[in-house]
Amino acid sequence: MASPASAAQGKHRAGLALALVSSLRLLVWLTLSSGIIIFNKWLLSPQNFPYPVTLAFWHMLFCSLVGILAVQSSCVKQQDVTWKTCFNICLPVAALGAAGLTLGNAAFIYLSVAFAQILKANMPVIMFTVGCLFHAHKFSWQTCGIMVVIGAGVAASSLGELQFSGLGATFMLSAMLAEAFKMVLLQTMMQQTDLQINPVSALYYVMPGSTLCLLPFVLMLEAGDVYHGLPSIVPQVPALIASAVAACMLNVIAFWVISNTSALTMKLAGIIKDAALIVMSGLIFNTQLTPLSLGGYAVALTGIGFHNYQSLRQAQAQVVSADAEALLLHRIDSRTSLSPHKLVTA
């Protein structure tokens, strides 16, 4: 029989191993996510592959093929999804996902990676606004004040941006708006159905719809240019394949990390990733950032930090309230079960 000391030592080693695995998961996600953004910025440059719609279409086509292969080969269990569910959930999510990815790719043609990440600090503001409009989030003046701080910080950063592009900023904000609508729609619809979408299921049920949604836009906007530019595109085929593989891996790894990491850790890791991207992209692409731009981003990060803290406190309050309600119901049930015995003994 193991001694208490050896048992404690075993628990300590298991805890260290779990912490190490979690850290490695997070590191892989941070590295791959940041690397894809920088790689796509390079790939979408005029001398390589300046076709954002076609690049998004290629990524989604590749992910669709991977999802179909995984399900048809029984590597992943196929879910019983009705046509009604596909039409009400999968198709709108697919269309919004296609719009978000395409507009985000288009934004990188006009914006630096650093400024694109600064604009992404506005995501909590857009999520809060869309969530309140669709009653997915509860409105509060305190949260509204935090959103004003975040928006003011991003606005100040925009004023300090030396290579500001109105078209690029519009593309990026539109991509974020599409992503916000997609997340709110998923949250609302998933609460009304028992559909459980994991990353491979998303590749199978959502990505084909996204691919079909983008096909008309590829044919109308970029097919002719891609055809005439084939001699210069052929050397980029290995880079296009690597980009698609990385995008598919990121979809799976992101779910793997999210399902094994706390929400607070993910939010903090996201802030660190965006800040690191601003620094790395500035060094790689020689992007100049003004003190006004960095100061505005610092203000926005402060607002995001307060928002994350507020969300954590609200989540803890909900857990405590749920535990108290469960305890009260348990006591009521116990008294109810004891009452017949009291009547008999009386």
Side-chain angles (χ1 to χ4, degrees), residues 39-51 108-109 285:
F39 184 75
N40 283 345
K41 171 65 176 177
W42 169 83
L43 186 59
L44 286 167
S45 59
Q47 65 271 21
N48 293 322
F49 192 81
Y51 309 108
F108 280 113
I109 294 179
F285 299 107

Side-chain angles (χ1 to χ4, degrees), residues 2-283:
S3 64
S6 60
Q9 189 176 11
K11 289 182 180 180
H12 180 66
R13 289 178 179 175
L16 288 177
L18 183 60
L20 179 61
V21 171
S22 299
S23 300
L24 287 175
R25 287 191 189 119
L26 206 56
L27 182 61
V28 169
W29 174 73
L30 289 171
T31 304
L32 188 59
S33 179
S34 303
I36 286 177
I37 292 174
I38 293 176
F39 184 75
N40 283 345
K41 171 65 176 177
W42 169 83
L43 186 59
L44 286 167
S45 59
Q47 65 271 21
N48 293 322
F49 192 81
Y51 309 108
V53 183
T54 306
L55 182 63
F57 174 81
W58 161 237
H59 283 177
M60 291 183 171
L61 177 62
F62 183 86
C63 290
S64 300
L65 295 175
V66 171
I68 292 171
L69 181 63
V71 172
Q72 295 301 323
S73 61
S74 300
C75 294
V76 177
K77 183 180 179 181
Q78 185 173 358
Q79 300 184 34
D80 185 17
V81 179
T82 63
W83 284 106
K84 181 179 178 180
T85 300
C86 285
F87 184 80
N88 291 336
I89 300 179
C90 296
L91 186 58
V93 169
L96 290 168
L101 181 58
T102 304
L103 292 167
N105 284 346
F108 280 113
I109 294 179
Y110 301 95
L111 300 177
S112 65
V113 174
F115 184 57
Q117 297 309 121
I118 290 174
L119 283 179
K120 285 183 180 180
N122 247 335
M123 194 63 191
V125 180
I126 296 176
M127 282 294 301
F128 177 71
T129 304
V130 173
C132 289
L133 287 175
F134 287 88
H135 305 288
H137 297 309
K138 185 178 179 181
F139 178 84
S140 74
W141 286 109
Q142 183 181 12
T143 304
C144 187
I146 294 174
M147 297 304 143
V148 170
V149 172
I150 297 173
V154 174
S157 294
S158 301
L159 292 175
E161 173 63 19
L162 297 176
Q163 301 174 357
F164 181 81
S165 167
L167 183 59
T170 301
F171 280 146
M172 180 56 71
L173 292 174
S174 299
M176 293 160 60
L177 187 62
E179 181 68 18
F181 274 110
K182 185 185 80 171
M183 296 302 295
V184 171
L185 179 64
L186 268 176
Q187 179 183 347
T188 303
M189 294 300 181
M190 295 290 284
Q191 291 173 353
Q192 299 175 1
T193 65
D194 57 353
L195 181 63
Q196 299 295 324
I197 297 181
N198 58 49
V200 181
S201 297
L203 298 182
Y204 182 74
Y205 293 107
V206 177
M207 289 299 177
S210 298
T211 307
L212 292 176
C213 288
L214 282 181
L215 181 58
F217 295 97
V218 171
L219 296 176
M220 289 188 297
L221 299 176
E222 295 180 352
D225 294 335
V226 171
Y227 177 76
H228 292 298
L230 278 178
S232 61
I233 292 175
V234 170
Q236 306 300 332
V237 168
L240 289 169
I241 294 175
S243 178
V245 172
C248 187
M249 288 175 59
L250 182 62
N251 281 323
V252 178
I253 290 175
F255 177 83
W256 182 43
V257 172
I258 291 171
S259 61
N260 292 278
T261 309
S262 68
L264 179 61
T265 302
M266 286 298 299
K267 289 180 179 180
L268 293 176
I271 293 173
I272 294 172
K273 183 200 76 172
D274 291 340
L277 263 175
I278 291 173
V279 175
M280 285 191 301
S281 64
L283 296 174

